[in-house]
Amino acid sequence: MYLWIKALHVIAIISWMAGLLYLPRLFVYHASAGEGTLSETFKIMERRLYRYIMTPAMLVAWMTGIYLAIEGGALSSGWFHAKATLVVLLTAAHLHDGALMRRFAADANVHSPRYYRIFNELPTLLMIGVVILVIVKPF
C-alpha cells in the first residue's frame, strides 16, 4: 500500500505544482488585459484552476505526505523538517494565489504584471529545494 500512496503523492504534487506555476502566469496576462470579455474569461480560468485542480491536489499531497512521513519514519530527520518548512511556504503561496484570484474576481487587482512574473518564481525555487532535500537528504 505504501508504494501506491507514494505514487498518488507524486501525482498530486505534479498537479499542484503545475497550478502553482501556471496561475501566476494567468495573473500576468489578466493584469495586462484590463476589463471586459477577456478579463471575464481569465476569471473563469483562474477560478477553475484554483478550485478544481490546485486545491484538491494540495490536499491530497498533504494527506499522502503525512502518511508517508509517518510510515517511512521521516519525522525525526533533519532533511524532512527543512522540506516540511518549504512545503508550508508552498502552501502559503497557494493561499496567496487564492487571495490574488479573489481580488481579480472583484476587479480589485493592485499589482502590475511584473509583480506576478516575479511572484511566479517563488514556487519554482521552493520546488527545487524540496526535490534536493528529498533526493539528496543532505542532513
Side-chain angles (χ1 to χ4, degrees), residues 107-134:
D107 294 321
N109 174 46
V110 296
H111 299 294
S112 69
R114 185 171 191 271
Y115 171 85
Y116 298 112
R117 281 188 188 93
I118 293 168
F119 180 70
N120 192 40
E121 302 307 320
L122 178 64
T124 303
L125 296 173
L126 293 171
M127 177 192 62
I128 290 168
V130 168
V131 170
I132 290 171
L133 288 166
V134 170

Side-chain angles (χ1 to χ4, degrees), residues 38-114:
L38 187 56
S39 177
E40 296 305 312
T41 300
F42 279 121
K43 289 177 188 180
I44 293 167
M45 292 170 63
E46 293 158 359
R47 185 180 66 247
R48 288 179 180 170
L49 176 62
Y50 189 81
R51 288 186 183 166
Y52 302 122
I53 297 172
M54 290 174 65
T55 299
M58 178 191 68
L59 294 173
V60 171
W62 267 98
M63 290 185 294
T64 56
I66 290 168
Y67 170 85
L68 293 169
I70 293 168
E71 289 298 311
L75 294 176
S76 61
S77 302
W79 67 267
F80 177 77
H81 292 228
K83 177 210 174 201
T85 300
L86 297 181
V87 172
V88 167
L89 292 173
L90 282 168
T91 303
H94 177 100
L95 296 173
H96 184 62
D97 279 346
L100 294 170
M101 178 194 65
R102 286 185 292 281
R103 282 189 194 151
F104 273 114
D107 294 321
N109 174 46
V110 296
H111 299 294
S112 69
R114 185 171 191 271

